[in-house]
Amino acid sequence: MATRARRPQRRSEALSRERIVAAAVELLDTAGEGGLTFRALTERLATGAGAIYWHVANKDELLDAATDAVVAAALAVEPTGAADPRDEIRAVALGLFDAIDEHPWLATQLATELSRSPSGTVTPRILESIGRRVRALGVREDSWFLAATVLVQYILGGAAQNAANARVLGPGANRDEFLGTVSKVWEELDPDEYPFIRAVAEQMRDHDDREQFLAGIDLVLSGITTLYVPGE
């Protein structure tokens, strides 16, 4: 009996730049930058290398696109009418904090983007998001750049340090046990050489990383409004 030739199964989704970038982010999350190869992408997307090269020219472009996609999602804070710009800045800051915490590769890639290609999409995207809200605070125009860049430096630096701490501890590590051990060591330091460290040992053990990060945002905002907002 004659049989009909089976047609190759059609992919449910057409290959697009967005699908490629999403797959690249997944590979970066699971295998790091070294695991992001076009061979790995072709296997994940069940396609040929030529189809991927149609959308992205090389690995650097792919890394830039993955970084931009994650940052764009992190910055998707919807202004709400008469919302306080300070609250919006905190929300933007936490969005970036969580994104860098969730994607271990992002801190390094952001540092590379900011220094290597400040005219690319990522740097203007972050600075615009913070800068609009700095302007809404009533900061003097001649201090917009200074205030916005100080905030950006604190946000990215603080988030990157938090992510680095998590990487040092490693997956599955007990943060409370680690901080408890450090706190005990601090408490046993020489009281003449380290009076401050001994005094804050308990506070260090009990601190919350996100609360500490937001406290830094509030300190920076207090300085900005005191120094650069007329009438404050």
Side-chain angles (χ1 to χ4, degrees):
M1 183 173 69
T3 58
R4 296 176 63 183
R6 179 179 293 180
R7 294 181 179 178
Q9 186 175 1
R10 185 177 179 182
R11 291 196 299 272
S12 58
E13 280 186 274
L15 188 64
S16 65
R17 182 180 174 89
E18 288 72 24
R19 281 191 64 210
I20 293 169
V21 171
V25 170
E26 292 172 1
L27 280 171
L28 286 163
D29 288 346
T30 56
E33 186 176 336
L36 178 61
T37 65
F38 277 73
R39 174 177 290 184
L41 269 179
T42 60
E43 292 175 358
R44 182 171 289 261
L45 293 168
T47 190
I52 295 175
Y53 279 115
W54 177 263
H55 294 281
V56 289
N58 51 49
K59 183 174 178 177
D60 284 343
E61 182 180 333
L62 190 56
L63 279 167
D64 290 347
T67 303
D68 189 53
V70 172
V71 168
L75 295 178
V77 178
E78 292 293 333
T80 54
D84 188 333
R86 295 171 180 81
D87 291 334
E88 292 187 3
I89 288 171
R90 293 185 191 99
V92 169
L94 274 181
L96 289 168
F97 181 91
D98 291 339
I100 291 172
D101 184 57
E102 182 180 350
H103 304 283
W105 52 274
L106 184 59
T108 300
Q109 189 59 27
L110 277 173
T112 301
E113 288 273 345
L114 292 172
S115 59
R116 185 188 65 195
S117 55
S119 59
T121 56
V122 173
T123 301
R125 192 186 294 279
I126 294 174
L127 192 56
E128 181 68 24
S129 182
I130 294 296
R132 288 186 184 186
R133 292 164 173 94
V134 163
R135 183 173 60 183
L137 282 173
V139 173
R140 298 195 313 265
E141 185 172 354
D142 62 357
S143 299
W144 285 354
F145 177 78
L146 175 64
T149 53
V150 166
L151 271 166
V152 169
Q153 287 174 4
Y154 170 77
I155 291 167
L156 298 184
Q161 183 61 57
N162 176 74
N165 293 342
R167 287 197 299 273
V168 169
L169 285 178
N174 188 309
R175 176 181 178 275
D176 291 338
E177 287 183 5
F178 174 78
L179 293 181
T181 300
V182 175
S183 176
K184 185 176 180 180
V185 171
W186 283 15
E187 288 171 343
E188 294 173 354
L189 291 172
D190 186 298
D192 294 324
E193 287 192 64
Y194 301 99
F196 175 80
I197 296 297
R198 284 169 55 93
V200 300
E202 184 176 350
Q203 296 174 36
M204 186 279 297
R205 182 184 62 225
D206 298 332
H207 84 278
D208 179 272
D209 294 327
R210 287 166 66 88
E211 289 179 2
Q212 182 186 46
F213 176 74
L214 284 176
I217 294 291
D218 288 340
L219 287 170
V220 175
L221 286 174
S222 294
I224 287 172
T225 54
T226 299
L227 295 173
Y228 304 117
V229 176
E232 289 289 326

